[in-house]
Structures are given as structure tokens and as C-alpha cells.
Amino acid sequence: MAAASALLPVGAAGADESVPVTVATDRQEQVLDVRDGVMVSRVSYSLPLPAGAPEHPAECDRTGYLRYRPVGGPEHSSAADNVIVQQPGAIGGAVNSDSVAANTVAAARALGQNVEFWALARRSACLDETAGFDYALRTGNYLDAVDYYFNGKPIDGQVFPGFKESQDLAVLDVMGMERVIRDQYEMMLFEIPNQAVRQQKYVCTGISLGGLVTGFFADWDFDGNPATTNDAGYQQCAAFAAQDTMITSDPVAIQNTPLLHDITNAIVGPTNDVVKAVANVGVLPRALVSVPMIGSRSFMIYRLAGLAAHLEPDAESRLLSHLPRDFDLDTTLNFMFSGSLPSFATNGADGSGSIRDFRFTNAALLGVFIDNNSGNFALFQQGVGALDGGPVAEKTFPTPGSVTQIPLLGGFLRVSAGSQQRVRPTDRNALYTWRNYDNVRGVPYTAPNHEVSDIRDAARQLGTGAPYAYWETYFPARLFIDIGAGYGGARSGDLTNLRYANMARTKPNYISYAGDGFVQQGVGIVVPPPPTAQVVTLPGYSHVDTIGAARSQSDGKPDASAQTLAEFVKSLR
């Protein structure tokens, strides 16, 4: 890891107080877009990986975020009324939060506040594959990217060398929890050096897994000195906001019982050290690359579907015909499309047909992958509209939406395929098209109040190239190991500085739950929110909708996720 921040003594404060100073240097900012009154830029800093880190691209010695701020607002973050700092979810890149970031800035401006939103990018984003997307966005032909990544087509004389495997990703060994939250801390120090001001201005948030990471940030001792507290994570934030997640490093309160704390640390700590030692020699996967549904190659399909829907939304899609037939890609497509267990078991050979047997526009194909009435995996679902152009039949795979109505158990079952009725095409000759989120009246299996995200926004975000991908190409599995160890009670080794317990609960808290999601009815029951938290349920929102909803809903109201967050932030002043 990089060395801890240098400490400069404050003469009048006594030996046990100090002022942290960031080690980040060379701040760079590039404006990427100005959209609907919001300026989007990429901010990055030089924060070299530690000496002895495995070989890595030069880009991995920098880290940063997407900065959203109102046009005409303060130029410097320190002059903003508040700065929302958000950790992304698992596998998610900074672009994941493009909608909620811009919407929150706009909502705050309407409330008379100049608020910034930083959508953080994990350090591992330096390994993202973006060359094919950058090229296709220049040429306007999405097949240029598809053929570059899967069919050996050269771009500017270079052929894609293939997706990296675990043995090629040793640098991910130094991109676990400590690196992720240290990067956040250093950037916060750089922009607002005064700790008292940081504690008034920053609102620390996370979506999904990002909430768990924010819990570790809050409880981390960043200089490793128990005698000082100004450098503790919770002392950097005025408040904490959980976006369909929880913010905690100790969900079952192990640290509240000294004996239990000692026992779990004695067992889990050394076990964690062994697991990481094994992982460091490549025995455990450093990233999930060729795993159906959640591997790098599978996520590339979703990104390419977004690119195609962004560039040619109404054209008949040729994406699937350009994808190779192999185990992980075919399994992913089969899982996402199948309507029943026999259909999945036979990949459509039971007469139902595989996804490659049907015709879609590019927008419709993207909708089949990610819509809450089409996709078979709740973690990817958004309410982006409905299929059109041909007949459909109800899906029962992997579970029918009706099972989520079962008391208690139903809330947990939502994590499989969501809570809504799902459908799939049945006519192999029809060209299936897409009705956007604000055009679903009369569709029998959905309603306007369950469709909240614009498929055009989703397509643009998924099709993004440099500097950050919507889905990380190589998400570090080390982060899962660190979270598991920390939750299990490890407080030794590289978790030694996880010194505090649930200090985020001592500050104002905001929690937004997706009304159609699985967190409130599952995790929210097992680990309830702080009793003083402002808890908001977003009706009709799926998990991803909490960060992907359209600014204006079909009823004319603003995105409830952004609006309620902006109102919470204003209440802090």
C-alpha cells in the first residue's frame, strides 16, 4: 500500500492531535460533457501504487472520479455547499451513477444549493477495456467494437490480445479494501485540506456493495495511530447515505462484545492471512473472467448491447450473429433469455427457441437483457419499458415473480429474478421493438409506476468508452475477501486499522430502498437501519433504478432517488 498520509503537528493541539496531509499530487481535470445544466468532468490524481507492486500499466498509478456540478456553480469543490462522495457497487464503474449524480446536482440546484457529486472509480478501472468502444463511437458502427473484442478485427493496426486471466492480473492483489478507501481519503483531503470543513461538506455514500465499502471507510483509522481521531473515516463526513444498501463494517455487532471480538479475530484474522497468501500466488481467481453471467466476457455483452442501442436503437440488431458460440457466452445468453426450466436446460431446443432464433431492434435486445419485465437476474434489472412488435409469453425461470409475494421468504427470493412478471418473445418471424419507460400504458404485464429509467440513458452509459467503463472489466475479487473477513471479525493483518465499529451511525443517515428491490425485504430486515435514519422507499424502483432513473418520470415528477437525497443534503445545513 501507499504510505499513510504525512502528519504535520499542530502546535497548540497537543501531542495527540495532528493534521493529515494528502500524498496525492498532479490533479488533472477534463470536461467530458455538459448536459441539461450539469457539467461532467473526469478528475484524476497521481497516487502511485506501493514500491514492489506487481507490474502494471502507468494508468494504475492514478485514480479519480467523475465530477458532476451545476453549470455556473463554484469552480472549486471546497466552495460547494456540499460534496456527495459515492462508492460504486460490485463490478460497477463510475458511469453506473451517471443518472443519479446528474439528477441530484440538478435537484439540489432547484432547492437553491450548489452540490457536487463525485462518482468514484476504483483503482482497478485502470485495466478497463475501452479501445473498441472509443473506436466504434468515432465510426458510428457498433460492430467495429464487437468484431474487435470477439472476432480478431484490428483497430489502428492493433488486434485485441484477449481477455486477461487471473495469472495476468497480479496487480489486483494490491487493490483490496485498504487501497479503495485510502484512495477516497486522499482525494477528499486534497480537495478540502481542513478537517473541520470536510466534516461539514462531505456526504459519504455508496450504492449496493459501495455501501459496505463506505462502512469500512467510516471505521478506518487512516494514520494507524489510536491517539488521533481527526484522520478517522467517520470524521471526514457530515453524514452518510446508503443507496439500496447498508453502511456498516460490523453488521452483527461482533465488536460490541470484547470476548467475541477477541475470539473471532483470533480465528478469522489468521485464516484471512492464509486465504490472501494463497490468492497472491494465483490459486484463487483474482477476477472473474470466463464465468457465465458475472464474468468479464459476459459483462462485455451487456456493454456492447448498450453501445448498439445507443448508436442504432431502431435498426435490426446484428450483435448476436457476430458473437462466437462458446460456453460462458452461450450460458449467459441462455440464462438471461430462458422462460422456463426446460427451456434453460435445452437452450431452447424444447421448442421455445434460443435468443439467437428471434429478431430484435438493438433497443429491444438491450431491453431483453436488463428490463425488469425481461431480464432473469435482479442485479441487472432496470424499469426501462416493455417489448413491442410481437406476442410474448410469461417467464417462470429461474423463479416466477409471484413467489416474491410469499411472506418473509419472498423478500429474499427477489434477489434471483426480481419481483415483477417477466415475459419473452414467442414469434420467430416478428421484429421485436421497444417501448420506452414513458410509453407503457396498456401493456398488460407492467405499469408506468414500475418503469422509471430511460433506455436511452442506459444505452449511452453502457456504451461509454474511456475514461471509465460502465462495468469494470476486471473487478478485484480481493475486495470480496476483505469484506467477508471484516464482517467475520478480522481486525489484524491488513485490517488492523479497521479500528472503530459502526461510527457512521453517530452521524445523520439517509437510506433509500428500491421498492421493487430485494435489499429492504432481505438485508434490511436482518440488519435494520439506525433508529434515527431518514428511510425512504422508492416505489416501483429496482436495485439499479436507484442510481439509473430518468430525471423526469412519466407522471412529470422528478427522480425520487435524486430528489430525496438532495433534500436530505439540504437539511444538513
Side-chain angles (χ1 to χ4, degrees):
M1 292 299 303
S5 299
L7 298 174
L8 299 180
V10 178
D16 63 338
E17 293 295 334
S18 55
V19 178
V21 177
T22 183
V23 296
T25 60
D26 187 30
R27 182 188 189 275
Q28 297 180 15
E29 181 166 7
Q30 175 190 9
V31 175
L32 304 176
D33 194 14
V34 178
R35 188 173 68 247
D36 299 328
V38 177
M39 181 177 294
V40 186
S41 58
R42 189 250 184 141
V43 178
S44 70
Y45 309 81
S46 174
L47 268 171
L49 292 173
E55 185 178 355
H56 56 273
E59 292 83 359
C60 294
D61 285 321
R62 300 190 66 86
T63 193
Y65 51 88
L66 294 179
R67 180 190 184 198
Y68 295 77
R69 59 191 175 102
V71 171
E75 180 179 353
H76 301 290
S77 299
S78 58
D81 291 321
N82 287 100
V83 179
I84 300 169
V85 184
Q86 187 204 52
Q87 281 286 347
I91 311 173
V95 187
N96 261 193
S97 294
D98 178 75
S99 291
V100 74
N103 294 352
T104 303
V105 169
R109 191 64 179 268
L111 294 171
Q113 302 292 299
N114 285 309
V115 169
E116 289 193 10
F117 195 114
W118 296 357
L120 300 181
R122 277 181 290 266
R123 182 71 68 111
S124 44
C126 65
L127 302 174
D128 279 343
E129 298 291 352
T130 61
F133 290 83
D134 295 335
Y135 186 76
L137 289 168
R138 292 198 304 269
T139 66
N141 184 358
Y142 67 91
L143 292 176
D144 286 339
V146 179
D147 291 338
Y148 171 70
Y149 288 114
F150 289 105
N151 297 316
K153 178 177 180 174
I155 288 181
D156 297 330
Q158 299 295 316
V159 176
F160 179 56
F163 291 92
K164 296 178 175 65
E165 295 296 339
S166 188
Q167 64 270 18
D168 307 314
L169 296 168
V171 68
L172 294 182
D173 293 343
V174 296
M175 295 187 184
M177 181 64 73
E178 188 177 2
R179 178 74 272 160
V180 170
I181 60 177
R182 169 69 62 181
D183 285 347
Q184 176 179 345
Y185 178 71
E186 297 292 352
M187 292 185 289
M188 291 170 68
L189 259 62
F190 188 102
E191 295 297 330
I192 303 181
N194 186 293
Q195 187 269 335
V197 178
R198 287 196 300 277
Q199 195 165 199
Q200 293 176 346
K201 298 247 183 181
Y202 284 123
V203 177
C204 298
T205 77
I207 166 66
S208 194
L209 176 135
L212 315 187
V213 172
T214 301
F216 279 70
F217 175 88
D219 292 336
W220 203 265
D221 177 5
F222 282 97
D223 75 347
N225 181 359
T228 61
T229 58
N230 281 352
D231 59 304
Y234 71 94
Q235 296 279 48
Q236 318 309 311
C237 310
F240 291 86
Q243 294 159 300
D244 213 33
T245 186
M246 60 180 180
I247 294 178
T248 177
S249 68
D250 185 27
V252 295
I254 291 173
Q255 305 307 310
N256 289 355
T257 307
L259 179 60
L260 189 57
H261 161 277
D262 293 342
I263 292 173
T264 55
N265 186 43
I267 297 172
V268 180
T271 302
N272 182 44
D273 294 338
V274 172
V275 169
K276 289 178 178 176
V278 172
N280 285 354
V281 296
V283 175
L284 296 176
R286 294 183 169 104
L288 304 177
V289 179
S290 297
V291 178
M293 292 299 301
I294 56 173
S296 302
R297 298 175 79 244
S298 296
F299 276 108
M300 184 61 77
I301 297 176
Y302 310 131
R303 291 175 60 197
L304 291 170
L307 177 67
H310 174 57
L311 293 175
E312 297 183 50
D314 300 322
E316 183 167 358
S317 182
R318 294 182 287 163
L319 171 60
L320 297 178
S321 66
H322 281 248
L323 288 178
R325 294 178 180 269
D326 59 36
F327 176 77
D328 62 309
L329 296 188
D330 283 344
T331 302
T332 296
L333 294 173
N334 185 23
F335 185 94
M336 290 299 287
F337 187 71
S338 291
S340 66
L341 184 58
S343 176
F344 176 70
T346 63
N347 194 13
D350 64 338
S352 61
S354 75
I355 193 172
R356 296 180 192 260
D357 295 327
F358 293 86
R359 300 171 60 210
F360 305 94
T361 63
N362 284 313
L365 181 61
L366 176 60
V368 164
F369 286 145
I370 69 171
D371 186 61
N372 58 349
N373 300 113
S374 300
N376 286 346
F377 194 17
L379 282 173
F380 301 157
Q381 289 178 353
Q382 287 184 261
V384 292
L387 274 169
D388 202 5
V392 297
E394 184 175 0
K395 288 184 173 186
T396 58
F397 175 84
T399 56
S402 57
V403 302
T404 64
Q405 305 307 312
I406 299 173
L408 296 180
L409 179 61
F412 290 94
L413 290 175
R414 288 187 180 197
V415 75
S416 63
S419 61
Q420 300 300 299
Q421 181 182 355
R422 288 166 293 108
V423 299
R424 54 164 283 169
T426 58
D427 187 340
R428 303 189 193 199
N429 296 313
L431 176 62
Y432 285 86
T433 58
W434 195 256
R435 298 174 67 165
N436 205 359
Y437 79 107
D438 54 357
N439 182 32
V440 298
R441 291 193 181 278
V443 176
Y445 53 84
T446 189
N449 61 347
H450 290 279
E451 306 296 334
V452 300
S453 294
D454 193 327
I455 198 168
R456 296 168 297 187
D457 290 337
R460 172 180 53 81
Q461 293 156 3
L462 280 159
T464 299
Y468 301 124
Y470 184 91
W471 294 117
E472 275 191 63
T473 311
Y474 304 107
F475 175 78
R478 176 59 57 89
L479 201 53
F480 288 135
I481 297 174
D482 283 336
I483 291 173
Y487 278 10
R491 295 296 185 272
S492 59
D494 54 10
L495 293 178
T496 299
N497 287 340
L498 187 55
R499 194 174 306 280
Y500 308 103
N502 290 328
M503 293 303 293
R505 290 176 171 245
T506 66
K507 299 292 184 75
N509 272 246
Y510 160 95
I511 300 174
S512 62
Y513 287 123
D516 286 351
F518 50 85
V519 175
Q520 185 173 24
Q521 302 302 320
V523 174
I525 295 174
V526 178
V527 184
T532 59
Q534 176 183 330
V535 179
V536 175
T537 300
L538 307 170
Y541 279 56
S542 71
H543 185 61
V544 179
D545 287 329
T546 60
I547 56 171
R551 183 175 301 183
S552 178
Q553 295 296 291
S554 57
D555 60 2
K557 294 181 180 179
D559 167 20
S561 181
Q563 183 68 32
T564 55
L565 177 57
E567 291 169 355
F568 169 74
V569 172
K570 183 179 181 181
S571 74
L572 301 173
R573 303 193 66 80

